[in-house]
PDB file of all heavy atoms in Angstrom:
ATOM      1  N   PHE A   1     157.620  13.165 199.949  1.00  0.00           N
ATOM      2  CA  PHE A   1     158.816  12.876 199.137  1.00  0.00           C
ATOM      3  C   PHE A   1     158.520  13.168 197.665  1.00  0.00           C
ATOM      4  O   PHE A   1     158.733  12.326 196.790  1.00  0.00           O
ATOM      5  CB  PHE A   1     159.227  11.415 199.325  1.00  0.00           C
ATOM      6  CG  PHE A   1     159.457  11.039 200.759  1.00  0.00           C
ATOM      7  CD1 PHE A   1     158.503  10.293 201.464  1.00  0.00           C
ATOM      8  CD2 PHE A   1     160.601  11.445 201.429  1.00  0.00           C
ATOM      9  CE1 PHE A   1     158.695   9.955 202.790  1.00  0.00           C
ATOM     10  CE2 PHE A   1     160.812  11.107 202.765  1.00  0.00           C
ATOM     11  CZ  PHE A   1     159.852  10.361 203.440  1.00  0.00           C
ATOM     12  N   SER A   2     158.033  14.378 197.411  1.00  0.00           N
ATOM     13  CA  SER A   2     157.623  14.753 196.063  1.00  0.00           C
ATOM     14  C   SER A   2     158.781  14.757 195.075  1.00  0.00           C
ATOM     15  O   SER A   2     158.575  14.599 193.869  1.00  0.00           O
ATOM     16  CB  SER A   2     156.949  16.128 196.079  1.00  0.00           C
ATOM     17  OG  SER A   2     157.800  17.095 196.674  1.00  0.00           O
ATOM     18  N   ALA A   3     159.998  14.936 195.565  1.00  0.00           N
ATOM     19  CA  ALA A   3     161.167  14.926 194.676  1.00  0.00           C
ATOM     20  C   ALA A   3     161.528  13.514 194.230  1.00  0.00           C
ATOM     21  O   ALA A   3     162.310  13.337 193.290  1.00  0.00           O
ATOM     22  CB  ALA A   3     162.363  15.575 195.370  1.00  0.00           C
ATOM     23  N   TYR A   4     160.964  12.515 194.902  1.00  0.00           N
ATOM     24  CA  TYR A   4     161.265  11.108 194.590  1.00  0.00           C
ATOM     25  C   TYR A   4     159.945  10.359 194.396  1.00  0.00           C
ATOM     26  O   TYR A   4     159.467   9.662 195.307  1.00  0.00           O
ATOM     27  CB  TYR A   4     162.083  10.471 195.714  1.00  0.00           C
ATOM     28  CG  TYR A   4     163.308  11.263 196.083  1.00  0.00           C
ATOM     29  CD1 TYR A   4     163.293  12.137 197.167  1.00  0.00           C
ATOM     30  CD2 TYR A   4     164.490  11.155 195.334  1.00  0.00           C
ATOM     31  CE1 TYR A   4     164.406  12.874 197.506  1.00  0.00           C
ATOM     32  CE2 TYR A   4     165.610  11.882 195.668  1.00  0.00           C
ATOM     33  CZ  TYR A   4     165.565  12.755 196.754  1.00  0.00           C
ATOM     34  OH  TYR A   4     166.672  13.480 197.085  1.00  0.00           O
ATOM     35  N   PRO A   5     159.336  10.494 193.228  1.00  0.00           N
ATOM     36  CA  PRO A   5     157.993   9.920 193.001  1.00  0.00           C
ATOM     37  C   PRO A   5     157.915   8.413 193.184  1.00  0.00           C
ATOM     38  O   PRO A   5     156.838   7.884 193.488  1.00  0.00           O
ATOM     39  CB  PRO A   5     157.678  10.320 191.559  1.00  0.00           C
ATOM     40  CG  PRO A   5     158.996  10.621 190.933  1.00  0.00           C
ATOM     41  CD  PRO A   5     159.853  11.169 192.026  1.00  0.00           C
ATOM     42  N   ASN A   6     159.038   7.711 193.023  1.00  0.00           N
ATOM     43  CA  ASN A   6     159.001   6.256 193.156  1.00  0.00           C
ATOM     44  C   ASN A   6     158.747   5.811 194.592  1.00  0.00           C
ATOM     45  O   ASN A   6     158.258   4.699 194.824  1.00  0.00           O
ATOM     46  CB  ASN A   6     160.298   5.624 192.654  1.00  0.00           C
ATOM     47  CG  ASN A   6     160.455   5.718 191.155  1.00  0.00           C
ATOM     48  OD1 ASN A   6     161.463   6.233 190.660  1.00  0.00           O
ATOM     49  ND2 ASN A   6     159.462   5.252 190.413  1.00  0.00           N
ATOM     50  N   VAL A   7     159.070   6.654 195.570  1.00  0.00           N
ATOM     51  CA  VAL A   7     158.833   6.291 196.968  1.00  0.00           C
ATOM     52  C   VAL A   7     157.351   6.054 197.200  1.00  0.00           C
ATOM     53  O   VAL A   7     156.929   5.006 197.703  1.00  0.00           O
ATOM     54  CB  VAL A   7     159.362   7.389 197.919  1.00  0.00           C
ATOM     55  CG1 VAL A   7     158.944   7.081 199.358  1.00  0.00           C
ATOM     56  CG2 VAL A   7     160.878   7.504 197.818  1.00  0.00           C
ATOM     57  N   ALA A   8     156.532   7.035 196.830  1.00  0.00           N
ATOM     58  CA  ALA A   8     155.084   6.898 196.990  1.00  0.00           C
ATOM     59  C   ALA A   8     154.528   5.813 196.068  1.00  0.00           C
ATOM     60  O   ALA A   8     153.624   5.055 196.451  1.00  0.00           O
ATOM     61  CB  ALA A   8     154.395   8.228 196.706  1.00  0.00           C
ATOM     62  N   GLY A   9     155.058   5.740 194.865  1.00  0.00           N
ATOM     63  CA  GLY A   9     154.563   4.771 193.899  1.00  0.00           C
ATOM     64  C   GLY A   9     154.779   3.338 194.354  1.00  0.00           C
ATOM     65  O   GLY A   9     153.852   2.511 194.317  1.00  0.00           O
ATOM     66  N   ILE A  10     156.001   3.029 194.796  1.00  0.00           N
ATOM     67  CA  ILE A  10     156.307   1.670 195.252  1.00  0.00           C
ATOM     68  C   ILE A  10     155.462   1.322 196.474  1.00  0.00           C
ATOM     69  O   ILE A  10     154.909   0.220 196.574  1.00  0.00           O
ATOM     70  CB  ILE A  10     157.806   1.535 195.556  1.00  0.00           C
ATOM     71  CG1 ILE A  10     158.613   1.603 194.249  1.00  0.00           C
ATOM     72  CG2 ILE A  10     158.095   0.219 196.284  1.00  0.00           C
ATOM     73  CD1 ILE A  10     160.107   1.643 194.458  1.00  0.00           C
ATOM     74  N   ALA A  11     155.351   2.267 197.413  1.00  0.00           N
ATOM     75  CA  ALA A  11     154.536   2.025 198.608  1.00  0.00           C
ATOM     76  C   ALA A  11     153.079   1.790 198.224  1.00  0.00           C
ATOM     77  O   ALA A  11     152.424   0.883 198.749  1.00  0.00           O
ATOM     78  CB  ALA A  11     154.650   3.199 199.573  1.00  0.00           C
ATOM     79  N   GLY A  12     152.569   2.612 197.307  1.00  0.00           N
ATOM     80  CA  GLY A  12     151.181   2.470 196.887  1.00  0.00           C
ATOM     81  C   GLY A  12     150.909   1.136 196.225  1.00  0.00           C
ATOM     82  O   GLY A  12     149.918   0.459 196.544  1.00  0.00           O
ATOM     83  N   TRP A  13     151.755   0.750 195.300  1.00  0.00           N
ATOM     84  CA  TRP A  13     151.585  -0.537 194.631  1.00  0.00           C
ATOM     85  C   TRP A  13     151.678  -1.683 195.632  1.00  0.00           C
ATOM     86  O   TRP A  13     150.916  -2.652 195.560  1.00  0.00           O
ATOM     87  CB  TRP A  13     152.652  -0.707 193.544  1.00  0.00           C
ATOM     88  CG  TRP A  13     152.376   0.040 192.274  1.00  0.00           C
ATOM     89  CD1 TRP A  13     152.031   1.355 192.155  1.00  0.00           C
ATOM     90  CD2 TRP A  13     152.443  -0.474 190.945  1.00  0.00           C
ATOM     91  NE1 TRP A  13     151.876   1.691 190.829  1.00  0.00           N
ATOM     92  CE2 TRP A  13     152.126   0.597 190.059  1.00  0.00           C
ATOM     93  CE3 TRP A  13     152.743  -1.714 190.402  1.00  0.00           C
ATOM     94  CZ2 TRP A  13     152.103   0.450 188.675  1.00  0.00           C
ATOM     95  CZ3 TRP A  13     152.723  -1.873 189.015  1.00  0.00           C
ATOM     96  CH2 TRP A  13     152.398  -0.799 188.165  1.00  0.00           C
ATOM     97  N   THR A  14     152.623  -1.566 196.575  1.00  0.00           N
ATOM     98  CA  THR A  14     152.800  -2.617 197.569  1.00  0.00           C
ATOM     99  C   THR A  14     151.570  -2.754 198.449  1.00  0.00           C
ATOM    100  O   THR A  14     151.129  -3.863 198.773  1.00  0.00           O
ATOM    101  CB  THR A  14     154.038  -2.320 198.442  1.00  0.00           C
ATOM    102  OG1 THR A  14     155.190  -2.200 197.605  1.00  0.00           O
ATOM    103  CG2 THR A  14     154.270  -3.442 199.448  1.00  0.00           C
ATOM    104  N   VAL A  15     151.001  -1.619 198.858  1.00  0.00           N
ATOM    105  CA  VAL A  15     149.802  -1.660 199.693  1.00  0.00           C
ATOM    106  C   VAL A  15     148.641  -2.310 198.945  1.00  0.00           C
ATOM    107  O   VAL A  15     147.908  -3.132 199.507  1.00  0.00           O
ATOM    108  CB  VAL A  15     149.407  -0.235 200.151  1.00  0.00           C
ATOM    109  CG1 VAL A  15     148.018  -0.243 200.780  1.00  0.00           C
ATOM    110  CG2 VAL A  15     150.417   0.296 201.143  1.00  0.00           C
ATOM    111  N   ILE A  16     148.477  -1.952 197.672  1.00  0.00           N
ATOM    112  CA  ILE A  16     147.380  -2.539 196.885  1.00  0.00           C
ATOM    113  C   ILE A  16     147.532  -4.055 196.799  1.00  0.00           C
ATOM    114  O   ILE A  16     146.569  -4.814 197.003  1.00  0.00           O
ATOM    115  CB  ILE A  16     147.333  -1.924 195.473  1.00  0.00           C
ATOM    116  CG1 ILE A  16     146.942  -0.438 195.536  1.00  0.00           C
ATOM    117  CG2 ILE A  16     146.354  -2.686 194.595  1.00  0.00           C
ATOM    118  CD1 ILE A  16     145.587  -0.173 196.155  1.00  0.00           C
ATOM    119  N   VAL A  17     148.747  -4.517 196.518  1.00  0.00           N
ATOM    120  CA  VAL A  17     148.990  -5.964 196.453  1.00  0.00           C
ATOM    121  C   VAL A  17     148.752  -6.589 197.827  1.00  0.00           C
ATOM    122  O   VAL A  17     148.205  -7.691 197.945  1.00  0.00           O
ATOM    123  CB  VAL A  17     150.417  -6.258 195.948  1.00  0.00           C
ATOM    124  CG1 VAL A  17     150.713  -7.748 196.030  1.00  0.00           C
ATOM    125  CG2 VAL A  17     150.584  -5.783 194.510  1.00  0.00           C
ATOM    126  N   GLY A  18     149.161  -5.866 198.885  1.00  0.00           N
ATOM    127  CA  GLY A  18     148.921  -6.359 200.238  1.00  0.00           C
ATOM    128  C   GLY A  18     147.441  -6.492 200.536  1.00  0.00           C
ATOM    129  O   GLY A  18     146.997  -7.479 201.143  1.00  0.00           O
ATOM    130  N   TYR A  19     146.645  -5.511 200.100  1.00  0.00           N
ATOM    131  CA  TYR A  19     145.196  -5.582 200.300  1.00  0.00           C
ATOM    132  C   TYR A  19     144.587  -6.749 199.529  1.00  0.00           C
ATOM    133  O   TYR A  19     143.674  -7.428 200.019  1.00  0.00           O
ATOM    134  CB  TYR A  19     144.539  -4.277 199.856  1.00  0.00           C
ATOM    135  CG  TYR A  19     144.600  -3.166 200.873  1.00  0.00           C
ATOM    136  CD1 TYR A  19     144.861  -1.859 200.488  1.00  0.00           C
ATOM    137  CD2 TYR A  19     144.377  -3.421 202.227  1.00  0.00           C
ATOM    138  CE1 TYR A  19     144.911  -0.828 201.424  1.00  0.00           C
ATOM    139  CE2 TYR A  19     144.423  -2.402 203.160  1.00  0.00           C
ATOM    140  CZ  TYR A  19     144.686  -1.107 202.758  1.00  0.00           C
ATOM    141  OH  TYR A  19     144.729  -0.103 203.669  1.00  0.00           O
ATOM    142  N   ILE A  20     145.077  -6.980 198.322  1.00  0.00           N
ATOM    143  CA  ILE A  20     144.578  -8.122 197.550  1.00  0.00           C
ATOM    144  C   ILE A  20     144.917  -9.429 198.273  1.00  0.00           C
ATOM    145  O   ILE A  20     144.099 -10.360 198.328  1.00  0.00           O
ATOM    146  CB  ILE A  20     145.170  -8.108 196.123  1.00  0.00           C
ATOM    147  CG1 ILE A  20     144.602  -6.914 195.337  1.00  0.00           C
ATOM    148  CG2 ILE A  20     144.860  -9.415 195.392  1.00  0.00           C
ATOM    149  CD1 ILE A  20     145.256  -6.698 193.989  1.00  0.00           C
ATOM    150  N   GLY A  21     146.119  -9.475 198.861  1.00  0.00           N
ATOM    151  CA  GLY A  21     146.507 -10.646 199.631  1.00  0.00           C
ATOM    152  C   GLY A  21     145.616 -10.866 200.844  1.00  0.00           C
ATOM    153  O   GLY A  21     145.210 -11.997 201.144  1.00  0.00           O
ATOM    154  N   THR A  22     145.288  -9.776 201.551  1.00  0.00           N
ATOM    155  CA  THR A  22     144.427  -9.927 202.727  1.00  0.00           C
ATOM    156  C   THR A  22     142.997 -10.282 202.320  1.00  0.00           C
ATOM    157  O   THR A  22     142.319 -11.032 203.025  1.00  0.00           O
ATOM    158  CB  THR A  22     144.417  -8.645 203.585  1.00  0.00           C
ATOM    159  OG1 THR A  22     144.042  -7.523 202.776  1.00  0.00           O
ATOM    160  CG2 THR A  22     145.766  -8.394 204.204  1.00  0.00           C
ATOM    161  N   LEU A  23     142.542  -9.757 201.182  1.00  0.00           N
ATOM    162  CA  LEU A  23     141.231 -10.163 200.674  1.00  0.00           C
ATOM    163  C   LEU A  23     141.199 -11.677 200.428  1.00  0.00           C
ATOM    164  O   LEU A  23     140.224 -12.359 200.758  1.00  0.00           O
ATOM    165  CB  LEU A  23     140.910  -9.425 199.376  1.00  0.00           C
ATOM    166  CG  LEU A  23     140.265  -8.048 199.479  1.00  0.00           C
ATOM    167  CD1 LEU A  23     140.132  -7.422 198.087  1.00  0.00           C
ATOM    168  CD2 LEU A  23     138.898  -8.135 200.143  1.00  0.00           C
ATOM    169  N   ALA A  24     142.293 -12.177 199.846  1.00  0.00           N
ATOM    170  CA  ALA A  24     142.388 -13.614 199.603  1.00  0.00           C
ATOM    171  C   ALA A  24     142.396 -14.382 200.929  1.00  0.00           C
ATOM    172  O   ALA A  24     141.758 -15.433 201.053  1.00  0.00           O
ATOM    173  CB  ALA A  24     143.652 -13.926 198.799  1.00  0.00           C
ATOM    174  N   LEU A  25     143.109 -13.839 201.925  1.00  0.00           N
ATOM    175  CA  LEU A  25     143.162 -14.462 203.240  1.00  0.00           C
ATOM    176  C   LEU A  25     141.772 -14.536 203.869  1.00  0.00           C
ATOM    177  O   LEU A  25     141.350 -15.583 204.383  1.00  0.00           O
ATOM    178  CB  LEU A  25     144.103 -13.676 204.151  1.00  0.00           C
ATOM    179  CG  LEU A  25     144.107 -14.033 205.642  1.00  0.00           C
ATOM    180  CD1 LEU A  25     144.646 -15.438 205.856  1.00  0.00           C
ATOM    181  CD2 LEU A  25     144.919 -13.022 206.439  1.00  0.00           C
ATOM    182  N   TYR A  26     141.034 -13.422 203.819  1.00  0.00           N
ATOM    183  CA  TYR A  26     139.696 -13.387 204.416  1.00  0.00           C
ATOM    184  C   TYR A  26     138.741 -14.328 203.681  1.00  0.00           C
ATOM    185  O   TYR A  26     137.949 -15.042 204.304  1.00  0.00           O
ATOM    186  CB  TYR A  26     139.148 -11.962 204.388  1.00  0.00           C
ATOM    187  CG  TYR A  26     139.992 -10.956 205.115  1.00  0.00           C
ATOM    188  CD1 TYR A  26     140.051  -9.630 204.692  1.00  0.00           C
ATOM    189  CD2 TYR A  26     140.760 -11.319 206.228  1.00  0.00           C
ATOM    190  CE1 TYR A  26     140.829  -8.692 205.357  1.00  0.00           C
ATOM    191  CE2 TYR A  26     141.545 -10.390 206.888  1.00  0.00           C
ATOM    192  CZ  TYR A  26     141.573  -9.081 206.447  1.00  0.00           C
ATOM    193  OH  TYR A  26     142.344  -8.157 207.102  1.00  0.00           O
ATOM    194  N   ALA A  27     138.800 -14.305 202.350  1.00  0.00           N
ATOM    195  CA  ALA A  27     137.913 -15.170 201.567  1.00  0.00           C
ATOM    196  C   ALA A  27     138.249 -16.646 201.789  1.00  0.00           C
ATOM    197  O   ALA A  27     137.348 -17.496 201.883  1.00  0.00           O
ATOM    198  CB  ALA A  27     138.013 -14.818 200.087  1.00  0.00           C
ATOM    199  N   TYR A  28     139.538 -16.951 201.871  1.00  0.00           N
ATOM    200  CA  TYR A  28     139.985 -18.324 202.126  1.00  0.00           C
ATOM    201  C   TYR A  28     139.448 -18.800 203.472  1.00  0.00           C
ATOM    202  O   TYR A  28     138.911 -19.908 203.595  1.00  0.00           O
ATOM    203  CB  TYR A  28     141.510 -18.373 202.106  1.00  0.00           C
ATOM    204  CG  TYR A  28     142.098 -19.750 202.305  1.00  0.00           C
ATOM    205  CD1 TYR A  28     142.388 -20.561 201.214  1.00  0.00           C
ATOM    206  CD2 TYR A  28     142.386 -20.229 203.580  1.00  0.00           C
ATOM    207  CE1 TYR A  28     142.936 -21.832 201.395  1.00  0.00           C
ATOM    208  CE2 TYR A  28     142.926 -21.481 203.774  1.00  0.00           C
ATOM    209  CZ  TYR A  28     143.206 -22.278 202.681  1.00  0.00           C
ATOM    210  OH  TYR A  28     143.739 -23.531 202.865  1.00  0.00           O
ATOM    211  N   THR A  29     139.593 -17.937 204.492  1.00  0.00           N
ATOM    212  CA  THR A  29     139.130 -18.307 205.832  1.00  0.00           C
ATOM    213  C   THR A  29     137.611 -18.462 205.868  1.00  0.00           C
ATOM    214  O   THR A  29     137.075 -19.352 206.543  1.00  0.00           O
ATOM    215  CB  THR A  29     139.575 -17.247 206.853  1.00  0.00           C
ATOM    216  OG1 THR A  29     140.994 -17.050 206.745  1.00  0.00           O
ATOM    217  CG2 THR A  29     139.251 -17.683 208.276  1.00  0.00           C
ATOM    218  N   PHE A  30     136.896 -17.593 205.142  1.00  0.00           N
ATOM    219  CA  PHE A  30     135.436 -17.715 205.040  1.00  0.00           C
ATOM    220  C   PHE A  30     135.078 -19.082 204.465  1.00  0.00           C
ATOM    221  O   PHE A  30     134.169 -19.765 204.969  1.00  0.00           O
ATOM    222  CB  PHE A  30     134.882 -16.605 204.148  1.00  0.00           C
ATOM    223  CG  PHE A  30     133.387 -16.633 203.985  1.00  0.00           C
ATOM    224  CD1 PHE A  30     132.568 -15.884 204.820  1.00  0.00           C
ATOM    225  CD2 PHE A  30     132.785 -17.399 202.989  1.00  0.00           C
ATOM    226  CE1 PHE A  30     131.182 -15.909 204.678  1.00  0.00           C
ATOM    227  CE2 PHE A  30     131.414 -17.435 202.838  1.00  0.00           C
ATOM    228  CZ  PHE A  30     130.611 -16.683 203.683  1.00  0.00           C
ATOM    229  N   GLY A  31     135.767 -19.476 203.409  1.00  0.00           N
ATOM    230  CA  GLY A  31     135.488 -20.766 202.789  1.00  0.00           C
ATOM    231  C   GLY A  31     135.785 -21.938 203.713  1.00  0.00           C
ATOM    232  O   GLY A  31     135.034 -22.914 203.757  1.00  0.00           O
ATOM    233  N   ILE A  32     136.869 -21.837 204.484  1.00  0.00           N
ATOM    234  CA  ILE A  32     137.253 -22.894 205.418  1.00  0.00           C
ATOM    235  C   ILE A  32     136.176 -23.103 206.484  1.00  0.00           C
ATOM    236  O   ILE A  32     135.698 -24.220 206.717  1.00  0.00           O
ATOM    237  CB  ILE A  32     138.600 -22.549 206.091  1.00  0.00           C
ATOM    238  CG1 ILE A  32     139.767 -22.785 205.111  1.00  0.00           C
ATOM    239  CG2 ILE A  32     138.809 -23.372 207.353  1.00  0.00           C
ATOM    240  CD1 ILE A  32     140.057 -24.239 204.837  1.00  0.00           C
ATOM    241  N   TYR A  33     135.789 -22.007 207.145  1.00  0.00           N
ATOM    242  CA  TYR A  33     134.801 -22.121 208.219  1.00  0.00           C
ATOM    243  C   TYR A  33     133.403 -22.406 207.664  1.00  0.00           C
ATOM    244  O   TYR A  33     132.590 -23.079 208.311  1.00  0.00           O
ATOM    245  CB  TYR A  33     134.786 -20.856 209.071  1.00  0.00           C
ATOM    246  CG  TYR A  33     135.881 -20.842 210.118  1.00  0.00           C
ATOM    247  CD1 TYR A  33     137.140 -20.324 209.822  1.00  0.00           C
ATOM    248  CD2 TYR A  33     135.661 -21.355 211.392  1.00  0.00           C
ATOM    249  CE1 TYR A  33     138.151 -20.314 210.765  1.00  0.00           C
ATOM    250  CE2 TYR A  33     136.663 -21.348 212.346  1.00  0.00           C
ATOM    251  CZ  TYR A  33     137.912 -20.833 212.038  1.00  0.00           C
ATOM    252  OH  TYR A  33     138.911 -20.836 212.967  1.00  0.00           O
TER     253      TYR A  33
END
């Protein structure tokens, strides 16, 4: 979707935030156990 740069941009930013969220999930679970 090169004609619409925001498509890739929004997806990319969302994935990065999602990865940060999962990192927090994994670290939280590590601390719990």
Side-chain angles (χ1 to χ4, degrees):
F1 304 103
S2 55
Y4 308 97
N6 290 125
V7 173
I10 291 173
W13 282 50
T14 303
V15 169
I16 293 300
V17 174
Y19 279 139
I20 292 172
T22 55
L23 274 175
L25 170 66
Y26 301 149
Y28 182 92
T29 307
F30 180 93
I32 284 288
Y33 278 89

